[in-house]
Amino acid sequence: MEPIVFIPGLLCTEILFAPQIVAFADRPLLVADHRQHDSIAAIAASILENAPERFALAGLSMGGYIAMEIMRVAPERVTRLALLDTNPRPDTPDQIKRREFLIKLTEKKGFTKIPHLLYPGFVHANLENDEAMKATVVEMANETGPEAFIRQMKAVIGRIDSRPGLPDITCPTLVLVGDGDTLTPPDLSREIHAGIPDSRLAIIEGCGHLATLEAPDAVTAELKRWIGSTSMHSPR
């Protein structure tokens, strides 16, 4: 049975995919470790060293950046691809400045406030005051820790433009985004969908950036369709 490799987002752990891990418990699963290196290329190389020979690949946000790098360097190993709430473009100068500010804040003032500062952007506006979801996000961040956070931020700052490689992706591909995602808005997923031939675009209503946790049933249903498909074509 086809294994699935999940790649979490920035400051996220396997908890990000907890509902999907349960749903796909009948097949081999790996949640990739993206905390040890400070470049997307090095993270992708490490994942490929530890992954099965052939696998389905699903990445959310930063996990999508890494997944797109894996598609550049080892497309023959990926049987199907899911890009969730992610961005094919490099950081803008303003985004780089904000990330560098957060790195300096972590170095000088500590890490405690960082997850709380980032939380509103991670979820739909209707979950901004949801204490249970916030506790989950803080738990994942604390498990990641400040040193790994800084490495991840440097990796994200240094990522390349993935748009030129999108037309080369030929495996069945799902592109999914929450309609209320403010970090990687739906237009970015529309751009990915337009770039990847025969991909499927799914926009999840009432959902923000952490779609796998915010709308687990809807996302899992899309992933089950994806894992069982030979083509993911949807109208453009």
Side-chain angles (χ1 to χ4, degrees):
M1 188 174 282
E2 195 174 2
I4 304 176
V5 175
F6 290 111
I7 312 179
L10 178 81
L11 280 182
C12 293
T13 69
E14 68 275 1
I15 293 171
L16 180 67
F17 297 109
Q20 292 73 43
I21 290 168
V22 172
F24 293 105
D26 61 336
R27 67 177 60 236
L29 299 174
L30 172 68
V31 179
D33 183 357
H34 59 345
R35 297 172 293 186
Q36 308 305 320
H37 304 281
D38 64 1
S39 78
I40 297 296
I43 297 168
S46 175
I47 291 170
L48 285 166
E49 283 179 15
N50 292 286
E53 188 57 34
R54 298 262 292 161
F55 54 91
L57 179 61
L60 188 147
S61 192
M62 179 185 178
Y65 312 155
I66 299 162
M68 286 183 273
E69 173 68 14
I70 288 172
M71 294 306 299
R72 280 190 289 274
V73 299
E76 72 284 352
R77 292 183 59 183
V78 180
T79 55
R80 62 192 69 239
L81 175 66
L83 297 171
L84 316 178
D85 295 274
T86 194
N87 179 1
R89 299 170 174 235
D91 264 357
T92 65
D94 284 347
Q95 287 171 324
I96 290 172
K97 284 180 185 176
R98 174 165 166 76
R99 293 191 200 280
E100 289 175 341
F101 167 77
L102 291 169
I103 289 172
K104 288 177 183 175
L105 187 64
T106 300
E107 290 171 338
K108 292 181 178 180
K109 301 286 188 180
F111 184 65
T112 306
K113 292 182 179 179
I114 297 296
H116 300 272
L117 286 173
L118 295 178
Y119 176 74
F122 279 173
V123 295
H124 192 278
N126 62 17
L127 288 173
E128 197 165 327
N129 297 311
D130 187 299
E131 291 303 320
M133 182 64 76
K134 189 171 187 179
T136 297
V137 169
V138 171
E139 178 186 352
M140 290 193 293
N142 287 337
E143 187 178 334
T144 301
E147 293 83 6
F149 171 63
I150 290 170
R151 286 192 290 271
Q152 289 178 340
M153 289 292 259
K154 289 178 177 178
V156 170
I157 288 170
R159 76 187 188 277
I160 68 172
D161 190 338
S162 289
R163 288 173 292 177
L166 295 178
D168 298 328
I169 297 173
T170 57
C171 64
T173 300
L174 168 66
V175 184
L176 181 146
V177 65
D179 66 349
D181 185 343
T182 57
L183 281 185
T184 54
D187 278 351
L188 293 171
S189 284
R190 292 188 182 99
E191 185 173 30
I192 296 170
H193 169 55
I196 300 177
D198 295 331
S199 58
R200 171 176 169 75
L201 177 65
I203 299 178
I204 307 300
E205 293 184 7
C207 181
H209 189 61
L210 301 184
T212 50
L213 291 177
E214 293 182 56
D217 292 345
V219 173
T220 298
E222 288 291 346
L223 288 172
K224 286 195 169 182
R225 175 175 179 172
W226 165 74
I227 203 69
S229 71
T230 55
S231 170
M232 294 300 294
H233 178 73
S234 61
R236 295 188 181 275

